[in-house]
Amino acid sequence: MPVNVRLLGIAVFFNLLGRGAFMASSALYFTRFAGVTPGQLGVGLAVAGATGLVSGVPFGHLADRRGQRDVAAVLLILSALAAVFFLVVDGFVQFTAVAVVFTFIERGAYAARQAVLSTLTAGEDATLARAQIRTIGNLGVAIGSGIAGLAIWVDTQEAYMGVIGFNAASYLICGLVFFALPRIAAVPVQPGASKLPVLRDRRYTAATMVNMIMVIHFAMLDIGFPLWIAQHTNAPHWMTAVLILFNTAGCVLFQISATRRIGTLESARRSWRLAGFLFLGTCVLTGLADGASALGACVLLLVAAGLHLYGEIIQSAAGWVISIDLAPAGQNGQYQGLFTTGFAFSQMVAPFVISTLVIENGTIGWVCLGATFALAGIAMTPVLRIADGASSANPCDKEIARS
């Protein structure tokens, strides 16, 4: 494994180690010890999420113009500082204020971090390198969730506060590791050039929107399956933990091997389309678990989780290729900023889509969601054929045009 990939893996591991622990336990802390009701928690997170939508592109642009590594490292360290203030939250107003500041900085840090990753892993083995980093990151999430489980088991205010401090430390470590990476030179703005050309790039904007729809599938695992199992199936409630563990272990074990052949826009297009149909199968089987026996529901859910796992793996790899290969040289920051903004928006609306539009409408809701995924999988092909406004064409684009 190249040194840069190893360092990026270490940085992402520590970042997601703390974040995994924080995400799995923070709701309990805020609603039990910080004076925030469950309803206020949802409102505060929604406001913070909306604020985070506007930070990706400008911070990504700043990374291009001031050096991607340096901007990413500084923003990660600032994220650590902002995360510390969760320890002094007392009530809805303070929680919302801290969440807004943290999310605004953290989303910008993520965009700059993705730009660094795309720059330092460019080349023939780019997809393999990104798969290795994602695998290491998934391992961090898994261990972090275990740390959260210990805090929940101890169930004291001090234990939860320890997790919050641990999360802040993880951002700090990630930022410091980034300073060990090679410095990436700033790209000066050409005279008369648009400062934010990504906002005029029809193809990239369309790809971002298609991705925004597709990545709703992530909410199926931590929201869709738990609610469906509890409210509509005869499967035991512990099946939720089994499915999450199955997905986490599968991503760690198979991400690298399953994505070795996804390295061009053409292979990404095919994989993206396949992922859409895999998610369709996931949704149909999940819906059919309603009314089945306990054993039958468990079998259907396990097969659905298997389809979802493979779809997630190849969709993630295809998304890396699409988001990076469509971005012009020297503008990775702002382009990754837009792509990650689409992802952030999806994660903000996904809980509503899954819990309200899908769960409340039963099996037909799952079928409709699956059909949406299939259409999003198909839609990426015409999106990649949209002229990008440049006179030169990528050889991969020509390959797609002939298909």
Side-chain angles (χ1 to χ4, degrees), residues 116-402:
V116 172
L117 188 150
S118 66
T119 299
L120 295 184
T121 61
E124 294 181 359
D125 297 326
T127 303
L128 174 60
R130 293 158 197 159
Q132 291 171 333
I133 293 169
R134 186 171 193 263
T135 298
I136 296 171
N138 281 325
L139 183 61
V141 171
I143 297 174
S145 298
I147 294 172
L150 290 175
I152 294 171
W153 178 65
V154 174
D155 198 31
T156 64
Q157 182 175 359
E158 291 74 19
Y160 291 114
M161 293 178 73
V163 171
I164 293 175
F166 181 68
N167 179 49
S170 76
Y171 278 94
L172 177 61
I173 294 172
C174 183
L176 294 176
V177 172
F178 259 63
F179 275 123
L181 292 166
R183 191 176 187 279
I184 300 172
V187 179
V189 179
Q190 297 299 321
S194 172
K195 290 185 177 180
L196 294 175
V198 66
L199 300 180
R200 300 182 180 180
D201 191 323
R202 294 183 301 153
R203 179 167 63 168
Y204 203 86
T205 301
T208 297
M209 294 180 68
V210 172
N211 180 70
M212 183 174 66
I213 296 171
M214 188 73 100
V215 294
I216 288 175
H217 77 81
F218 284 107
M220 293 167 58
L221 186 67
D222 54 9
I223 298 175
F225 286 157
L227 291 178
W228 188 249
I229 288 171
Q231 299 178 16
H232 291 272
T233 77
N234 293 314
H237 290 184
W238 49 257
M239 270 300 294
T240 294
V242 171
L243 297 181
I244 293 176
L245 180 62
F246 175 76
N247 179 270
T248 303
C251 287
V252 171
L253 293 174
F254 304 118
Q255 181 72 66
I256 296 174
S257 59
T259 58
R260 287 183 182 274
R261 297 184 179 181
I262 307 175
T264 66
L265 283 175
E266 170 59 14
S267 59
R269 178 188 68 83
R270 293 195 304 267
S271 297
W272 189 275
R273 182 175 58 191
L274 174 59
F277 285 105
L278 288 170
F279 294 145
L280 169 61
T282 299
C283 291
V284 171
L285 292 176
T286 302
L288 291 176
D290 184 10
S293 65
L295 177 60
C298 288
V299 172
L300 286 169
L301 289 168
L302 280 172
V303 177
L307 295 179
H308 179 268
L309 170 63
Y310 187 57
E312 176 184 339
I313 288 173
I314 62 174
Q315 181 272 322
S316 296
W320 299 332
V321 174
I322 292 168
S323 68
I324 292 171
D325 283 14
L326 295 186
Q331 298 173 358
N332 273 337
Q334 61 176 285
Y335 272 72
Q336 292 306 309
L338 181 63
F339 208 76
T340 57
T341 295
F343 182 86
F345 179 81
S346 175
Q347 298 311 290
M348 187 174 68
V349 303
F352 171 79
V353 171
I354 297 293
S355 63
T356 303
L357 300 182
V358 175
I359 300 298
E360 290 188 4
N361 287 286
T363 301
I364 189 63
W366 281 107
V367 173
C368 290
L369 179 63
T372 302
F373 287 138
L375 290 174
I378 295 171
M380 190 58 82
T381 294
V383 164
L384 294 178
R385 289 178 176 148
I386 296 175
D388 62 358
S391 57
S392 61
N394 187 305
C396 295
D397 300 343
K398 297 176 182 177
E399 187 178 359
I400 289 174
R402 289 196 298 268

